[in-house]
């Protein structure tokens, strides 16, 4: 099994270019099923979850081709299967995103019920209730979600909880429904806006994306389109935290500063000097040790839960104590026991972790448990004295494109040992 080995202690220095956003490209690739012609998606990151999504669409019968720079063409006209089987869903919960497009465009879908995962039970009840409100008949049988519908009809849907993929599933389904759909308490993440922009370029009529109320006027059909995916704000935040932890200077290029206000505010609180341009963000720590910060995760525009593990790692070596409160998922502190193996002083009580900064961490073998936890362990390895080996890096490969190469270019002493990247 591949592992990553880091010899810590180097202050990172230099530029790192940011890849397309995983959590935008996954719904966008699936949304192409709604079109009556092929779509071409560019700025696609080379990630395991993208490969899984392409396999899922291919198994349904869509024709996929990969052009230069990972530009992907999806032609849904040959679609003949409407299932998302367990062997794929269990490796990528985001497979649930095929539900809305299949029901809206083809009137049927069978999607394996996603189980829980390391960070929580991850229910999909709001996806199903929303589809029923749009007129679909939805049953859960033998571990599968089975949905059937004639033409969906517009409805006013109030989401009990802010859910990103729940909002995305219903947004996609509503584009072809008869009449008007209003989604209240909708997710406002930039990736939801990117999906809405993609659907609009296909001919959908959507207003309010990026606010908590999205209105969709259903249309008869959607056309194929060409689209470039927005940059990954979580990858950006991860490299900025790496710069802050190592006392270095990191400049992220090809990114979108306006999507990271909550994260940049917290990095400013650590004592980092932040400067931004249209498509770049520079963090300069000037060799200083970061100060601890308090974090409470929340739906966008609040502090993103996908940056919580990285800031837990930062607080581990910062000056002072920081309180981390995770409000989105019930079990997103799996990185804590691994950070403790490096010498971190963290105590977890329910949704809160109290992190007392220590002057230094010591390298040791540790194990990744989920995507963002694995990133936080790599960050800790960058500052730990001696060698840190992170096992089960397949978690990392799901969401970070060539992370070792990007960190090596910033001066990190890091390499992959064992099997090659996925
Ligand atoms: C998306 O997951 C992201 N994944 C996650 O990123 C991210 O952490 C999460 O949103 C929160 O921002 C993708 O976009 C592919 P939710 P999602 O539905 O949509 C509850 C990463 O690291 N809920 O917004 O699955 C749920 O239990 C991944 O890139 C229900 O109760 O998350 C949670 O407490 C990890 N019923 C809360 O809502 C439902 O039907 C938010 O979950 C759906 C969700």
């Amino acid at each position: 099994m591949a592992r990553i080995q880091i010899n810590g202690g180097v202050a990172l220095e230099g530029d790192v270019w940011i890849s397309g956003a995983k959590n935008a490209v996954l719904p966008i690739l699936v949304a192409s099923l709604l079109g009556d012609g092929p779509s071409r998606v560019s700025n696609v990151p080379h990630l395991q979850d993208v490969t899984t999504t392409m396999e899922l669409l291919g198994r349904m019968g869509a024709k996929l081709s990969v052009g230069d720079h990972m530009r992907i063409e999806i032609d849904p006209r040959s679609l003949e299967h409407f299932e998302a089987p367990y062997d794929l869903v269990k490796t990528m919960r985001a497979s649930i995103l095929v539900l809305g497009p299949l029901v809206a465009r083809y009137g049927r879908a069978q999607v394996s019920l996603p189980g829980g995962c390391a960070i929580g039970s991850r229910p999909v009840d709001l996806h199903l209730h929303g589809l029923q409100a749009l007129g679909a008949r939805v049953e859960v049988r033998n571990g599968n979600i089975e949905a059937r519908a004639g033409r969906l009809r517009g409805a006013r849907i109030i989401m009990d909880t802010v859910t990103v993929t729940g909002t995305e599933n219903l947004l996609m389904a509503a584009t072809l429904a008869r009449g008007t759909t209003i989604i209240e308490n909708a997710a406002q993440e930039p990736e939801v806006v990117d999906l809405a922009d993609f659907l609009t370029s296909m001919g959908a009529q959507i207003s309010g994306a990026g606010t908590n109320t999205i209105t969709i006027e259903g249309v008869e059909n959607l056309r194929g389109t060409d689209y470039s995916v927005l940059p990954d704000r979580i990858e950006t935040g991860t490299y900025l935290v790496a710069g802050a932890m190592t006392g270095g200077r990191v400049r992220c290029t090809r990114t979108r500063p306006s999507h990271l206000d909550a994260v940049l505010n917290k990095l400013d609180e650590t004592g980092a000097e932040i400067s931004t341009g249209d498509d770049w963000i520079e963090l300069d720590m000037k060799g200083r040790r970061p100060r601890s910060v308090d974090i409470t995760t929340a739906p966008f525009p609040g502090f993103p839960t996908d940056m919580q593990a990285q800031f837990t790692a930062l607080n581990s070596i910062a000056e002072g104590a920081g309180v981390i409160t995770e409000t989105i998922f019930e079990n997103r502190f799996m990185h804590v026991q691994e950070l403790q193996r490096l010498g971190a002083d963290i105590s977890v009580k329910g949704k809160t972790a109290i992190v007392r900064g220590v002057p230094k961490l010591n390298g040791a073998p540790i194990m990744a448990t989920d995507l963002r936890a694995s990133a936080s362990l790599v960050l800790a390895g960058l500052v730990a004295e001696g060698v840190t080996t992170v096992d089960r890096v397949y978690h990392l490969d799901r969401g970070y494109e060539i992370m070792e190469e990007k960190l090596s270019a910033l001066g990190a002493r890091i390499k992959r040992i064992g099997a090659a990247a996925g």
Side-chain angles (χ1 to χ4, degrees):
M1 193 173 289
R3 287 170 295 153
I4 282 185
Q5 195 171 78
I6 306 152
N7 190 345
V10 174
L12 300 186
E13 175 77 31
D15 287 10
V16 57
W17 55 270
I18 298 301
S19 305
K22 168 178 88 78
N23 291 348
V25 74
L26 299 183
I28 285 172
L29 291 175
V30 168
S32 63
L33 295 179
L34 291 162
D36 52 15
S39 291
R40 284 155 297 281
V41 181
S42 51
N43 197 32
V44 174
H46 188 189
L47 300 172
Q48 184 54 50
D49 277 6
V50 171
T51 306
T52 304
T53 302
M54 292 175 66
E55 182 176 346
L56 176 60
L57 299 178
R59 280 207 212 167
M60 291 179 182
K63 290 273 174 296
L64 292 107
S65 61
V66 182
D68 52 346
H69 309 301
M70 274 292 279
R71 196 174 66 119
I72 295 177
E73 176 170 299
I74 310 104
D75 187 345
R77 286 174 294 190
S78 48
L79 213 73
E80 54 189 7
H81 302 293
F82 308 98
E83 297 91 31
Y86 181 61
D87 68 306
L88 287 181
V89 174
K90 72 180 179 189
T91 67
M92 187 186 70
R93 312 177 27 67
S95 309
I96 187 81
L97 286 165
V98 301
L99 202 52
L102 288 178
V103 174
R105 176 91 165 71
Y106 306 95
R108 52 190 293 203
Q110 177 176 302
V111 177
S112 173
L113 194 60
C117 73
I119 63 178
S121 61
R122 311 292 296 274
V124 291
D125 54 311
L126 302 180
H127 298 238
L128 307 188
H129 293 163
L131 282 175
Q132 286 167 327
L134 293 170
R137 293 179 306 287
V138 180
E139 281 186 275
V140 177
R141 203 171 23 208
N142 310 325
N144 287 318
I145 301 163
E146 306 204 353
R148 289 281 184 285
R151 185 173 181 190
L152 295 175
R153 62 175 191 280
R156 179 164 178 259
I157 304 168
I158 302 175
M159 309 298 284
D160 295 354
T161 311
V162 174
T163 158
V164 174
T165 50
T167 299
E168 292 169 341
N169 240 333
L170 301 178
L171 170 60
M172 290 188 282
T175 57
L176 292 178
R178 184 191 316 278
T180 305
T181 297
I182 299 175
I183 304 174
E184 307 267 13
N185 200 24
Q188 306 178 51
E189 271 69 6
E191 293 76 27
V192 176
V193 177
D194 213 34
L195 172 62
D197 291 347
F198 176 77
L199 292 166
T200 302
S201 75
M202 295 177 83
Q205 294 184 16
I206 301 168
S207 59
T211 75
N212 61 8
T213 303
I214 304 178
T215 303
I216 306 106
E217 298 299 337
V219 295
E220 296 302 312
N221 53 38
L222 295 172
R223 57 183 178 272
T225 187
D226 291 292
Y227 195 79
S228 179
V229 172
L230 97 167
D232 196 314
R233 61 191 169 101
I234 305 301
E235 184 194 20
T236 305
T238 302
Y239 288 117
L240 293 174
V241 169
M245 288 178 68
T246 58
R249 182 190 64 78
V250 169
R251 179 189 170 100
C252 294
T253 60
R254 292 178 20 184
T255 190
R256 206 81 58 89
S258 61
H259 291 166
L260 283 133
D261 287 348
V263 173
L264 296 183
N265 288 347
K266 285 297 171 184
L267 285 169
D268 181 61
E269 272 184 49
T270 69
E273 289 182 19
I274 308 270
S275 48
T276 60
D278 292 347
D279 65 350
W280 57 268
I281 303 171
E282 179 167 296
L283 174 143
D284 193 345
M285 210 60 194
K286 296 196 184 295
R288 293 188 295 263
R289 182 183 176 192
R291 292 193 295 269
S292 289
V293 290
D294 294 339
I295 301 283
T296 299
T297 62
F300 193 89
F303 186 92
T305 174
D306 291 349
M307 283 300 303
Q308 179 263 104
Q310 297 90 318
F311 271 80
T312 305
L314 180 146
N315 273 350
S316 300
I317 47 91
E319 240 166 74
V323 179
I324 307 262
T325 306
E326 172 57 63
T327 70
I328 306 291
F329 292 113
E330 65 265 32
N331 187 33
R332 206 170 196 177
F333 286 127
M334 306 279 278
H335 42 288
V336 166
Q337 60 256 38
E338 299 303 312
L339 292 171
Q340 287 167 335
R341 284 179 49 75
L342 303 180
D345 177 358
I346 307 174
S347 57
V348 175
K349 288 183 180 52
K351 287 181 173 287
T352 300
I354 298 171
V355 188
R356 294 175 183 82
V358 294
K360 75 178 174 68
L361 297 174
N362 298 300
I366 48 182
M367 187 171 75
T369 51
D370 59 271
L371 169 55
R372 305 303 174 184
S374 55
S376 78
L377 299 183
V378 171
L379 297 182
L382 292 174
V383 297
E385 207 163 82
V387 174
T388 297
T389 307
V390 182
D391 201 353
R392 301 191 178 181
V393 287
Y394 59 84
H395 291 292
L396 206 64
D397 296 335
R398 292 192 49 191
Y400 289 93
E401 187 177 42
I402 59 169
M403 189 180 216
E404 315 89 272
E405 289 82 346
K406 291 188 179 186
L407 286 171
S408 297
L410 293 171
R413 295 179 296 225
I414 181 171
K415 64 181 176 185
R416 183 178 289 253
I417 49 183

